[in-house]
């Protein structure tokens, strides 16, 4: 019964949200386009610590025609629609929203001090960490300044335990800021998991640099100016690549074509190491076959037939003897 009553209460508040503009005493201007929402101060006061502290403190300063005016340019109307329904009705189907939408909701809730919503979404994402794959850079960018530390911690766990998911995500190639990507390389674990070979870090870095500078994919056509720009862009990353963990074949195939990005002395040093490795890897001689001794057939002794004793026929009993034997048996019986 109590559940049904709560459901009816939610429906009433939902009606207030959709049809109660005549009773609204607050205007909230949302997003860059400043979309106007007519809402009720009592609801905002009850559900949001931010509005609670601001409504009366700035009532006269922000009041127009007896309405309190607020501006939230950093929250999109789409996000505010979802958040406002949660404020009025207490409903949010977390699983039905994309992870990016959930992160934006958390950021908006953080601005408005709605910590219970942040806790609910954080708990959900902790159990569904895979949903954060592909959003590492977005979350780090949006959570600057210590926002949402629990969400930031989840991203740090992905960086340590599954950096391959970050490297392979489409988001990686879309990173526009050199500083953002450098932060990723700076914070990689010292011992990379086996799933992330060192050469892949180099390949993705080169690929990002070419994309960032909008250079042709065929580096054979680069002039000195293009090589210079690529080297300048990537020079801060080079120290984070452990070239000694790249085998000789990968080095020659994937590093050597971009040797102009490396310091010349560094490249010569690496080449010498790989040449030393090649010289030290002497081919093993195949084992020499051992001579086999010729098969010697053992002589067989001639078969000796054993002599047979002559057959001795047993003497037969005479008829009178047989008769006496039968007579004796008859008497005994």
């Amino acid at each position: 019964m109590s559940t049904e009553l709560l459901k009816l209460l939610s429906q009433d508040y939902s009606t207030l949200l959709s049809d109660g503009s005549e009773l609204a005493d607050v205007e909230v201007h949302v997003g860059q386009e400043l979309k106007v929402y007519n809402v009720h101060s009592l609801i905002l006061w009850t559900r949001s610590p931010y509005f609670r502290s601001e409504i009366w403190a700035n009532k006269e300063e922000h009041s127009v025609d007896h309405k309190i005016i607020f501006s939230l340019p950093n929250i999109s109307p789409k996000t505010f629609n979802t958040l406002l329904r949660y404020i009025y009705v207490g409903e949010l189907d977390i699983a039905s929203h994309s992870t990016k939408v959930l992160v934006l909701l958390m950021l908006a809730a953080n601005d408005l001090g709605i910590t219970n919503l942040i806790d609910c979404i954080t708990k959900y994402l902790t159990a569904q960490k895979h949903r954060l794959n592909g959003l590492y850079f977005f979350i780090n960018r949006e959570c600057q300044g210590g926002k949402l530390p629990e969400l930031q911690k989840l991203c740090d766990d992905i960086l340590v335990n599954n950096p391959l998911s970050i490297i392979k995500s489409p988001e990686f190639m879309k990173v526009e800021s050199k500083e953002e990507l450098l932060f990723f390389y700076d914070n990689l674990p010292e011992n990379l998991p086996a799933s992330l070979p060192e050469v892949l870090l180099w390949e993705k870095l080169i690929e990002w640099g070419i994309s960032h500078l909008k250079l042709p994919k065929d580096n054979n056509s680069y002039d000195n100016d293009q090589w210079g720009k690529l080297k300048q862009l990537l020079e801060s990353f080079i120290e984070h690549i452990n070239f000694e963990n790249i085998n000789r074949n990968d080095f020659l195939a994937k590093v050597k074509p971009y040797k102009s990005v490396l310091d010349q002395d560094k490249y010569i040093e690496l080449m010498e190491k790989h040449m030393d490795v090649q010289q030290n890897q002497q081919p093993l001689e195949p084992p020499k076959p051992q001579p086999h001794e010729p098969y010697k057939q053992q002589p067989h002794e001639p078969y000796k037939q054993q002599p047979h004793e002559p057959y001795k026929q047993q003497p037969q009993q005479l008829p009178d003897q047989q008769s006496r034997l039968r007579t004796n048996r008859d008497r005994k019986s």
Side-chain angles (χ1 to χ4, degrees):
M1 178 63 72
S2 59
T3 303
E4 294 178 1
L5 292 175
L6 285 174
K7 187 175 181 180
L8 291 173
L9 179 63
S10 294
Q11 290 175 353
D12 291 339
Y13 276 98
S14 178
T15 302
L16 181 64
L17 175 62
S18 58
D19 301 327
S21 58
E22 293 181 358
L23 299 175
D25 56 351
V26 174
E27 277 188 11
V28 183
H29 299 176
V30 178
Q32 298 299 319
E33 60 270 42
L34 299 179
K35 182 177 179 179
V36 177
Y37 291 82
N38 292 296
V39 289
H40 307 86
S41 61
L42 182 60
I43 303 295
L44 300 183
W45 173 284
T46 305
R47 299 282 282 162
S48 166
Y50 166 80
F51 285 120
R52 186 181 308 151
S53 63
E54 294 291 325
I55 282 176
W56 299 115
N58 301 299
K59 183 176 180 180
E60 294 182 0
E61 182 180 350
H62 297 286
S63 178
V64 177
D65 296 332
H66 305 292
K67 278 192 174 183
I68 306 170
I69 309 297
F70 285 100
S71 179
L72 300 175
N74 295 327
I75 301 177
S76 71
K78 182 178 179 180
T79 300
F80 193 71
N81 283 337
T82 306
L83 187 60
L84 200 58
R85 181 163 185 81
Y86 173 77
I87 290 174
Y88 270 75
V89 185
E91 291 180 354
L92 178 63
D93 185 3
I94 295 177
S96 67
H97 292 285
S98 71
T99 308
K100 192 169 185 177
V101 168
L102 293 177
V103 173
L104 292 173
L105 279 171
M106 293 175 74
L107 290 166
N110 185 70
D111 290 342
L112 302 181
I114 309 176
T115 56
N116 52 6
L117 178 58
I118 296 173
D119 293 340
C120 287
I121 299 177
T122 300
K123 184 178 180 180
Y124 172 79
L125 292 177
T126 301
Q128 303 285 332
K129 285 185 181 180
H130 65 277
R131 293 194 57 170
L132 295 172
N133 293 341
L135 291 175
Y136 172 83
F137 294 101
F138 169 74
I139 292 173
N140 273 289
R141 184 167 55 249
E142 296 296 331
C143 292
Q144 289 181 357
K147 294 181 181 179
L148 306 178
E150 292 300 320
L151 182 61
Q152 184 67 61
K153 185 177 182 300
L154 291 178
C155 281
D156 292 341
D157 290 343
I158 294 175
L159 177 62
V160 172
N161 298 312
N162 190 17
L164 183 64
S165 67
I166 302 173
I167 284 279
K168 287 193 169 183
S169 70
E171 181 194 33
F172 187 91
M173 300 308 300
K174 296 177 182 178
V175 175
E176 296 182 0
S177 168
K178 173 183 174 180
E179 287 70 26
E180 280 188 56
L181 194 65
L182 190 57
F183 179 84
F184 166 75
Y185 275 83
D186 278 339
N187 289 278
L188 280 169
E190 183 176 350
N191 297 318
L192 294 175
S195 60
L196 179 56
E198 197 80 34
V199 69
L200 185 58
L201 288 177
W202 168 258
E203 285 184 284
K204 298 301 287 187
L205 178 62
I206 291 293
E207 187 179 349
W208 174 82
I210 291 173
S211 174
H212 188 78
L213 295 174
K214 297 180 173 57
L215 297 175
K217 291 185 178 180
D218 182 9
N219 65 328
N220 292 318
S221 64
Y222 292 0
D223 56 28
N224 291 336
D225 181 60
Q226 289 171 316
W227 278 118
K229 289 180 179 178
L230 186 60
K231 181 177 181 178
Q232 183 179 7
L233 177 66
L234 302 183
E235 61 183 353
S236 302
F237 296 86
I238 299 301
E239 63 180 288
H240 299 292
I241 306 295
N242 191 346
F243 291 97
E244 295 182 1
N245 288 342
I246 300 176
N247 65 51
R248 182 176 181 274
N249 290 336
D250 283 339
F251 185 87
L252 295 178
K254 298 172 182 179
V255 178
K256 185 179 179 181
Y258 294 93
K259 62 182 181 181
S260 297
V261 172
L262 301 174
D263 177 76
Q264 186 176 6
D265 292 338
K266 175 71 173 177
Y267 175 73
I268 293 174
E269 178 187 350
L270 291 170
M271 278 298 296
E272 288 176 348
K273 287 182 179 179
H274 283 292
M275 294 305 294
D276 289 342
V277 170
Q278 183 187 23
Q279 292 174 1
N280 292 333
Q281 291 177 345
Q282 298 296 334
L284 297 176
E285 295 184 3
K288 296 180 180 180
Q290 298 296 324
H292 295 285
E293 294 184 2
Y295 176 72
K296 296 180 180 180
Q297 187 174 8
Q298 298 296 324
H300 294 285
E301 295 183 2
Y303 176 72
K304 296 179 180 180
Q305 187 174 7
Q306 298 296 324
H308 295 284
E309 294 182 3
Y311 175 72
K312 295 180 180 180
Q313 187 174 8
Q314 298 295 325
Q316 295 183 348
Q317 293 179 338
L318 296 176
D320 57 342
Q321 291 176 330
Q322 295 177 357
S323 175
R324 285 199 296 270
L325 289 172
R326 283 197 296 270
T327 304
N328 290 334
R329 290 193 197 102
D330 292 340
R331 287 174 182 172
K332 290 179 181 180
S333 60

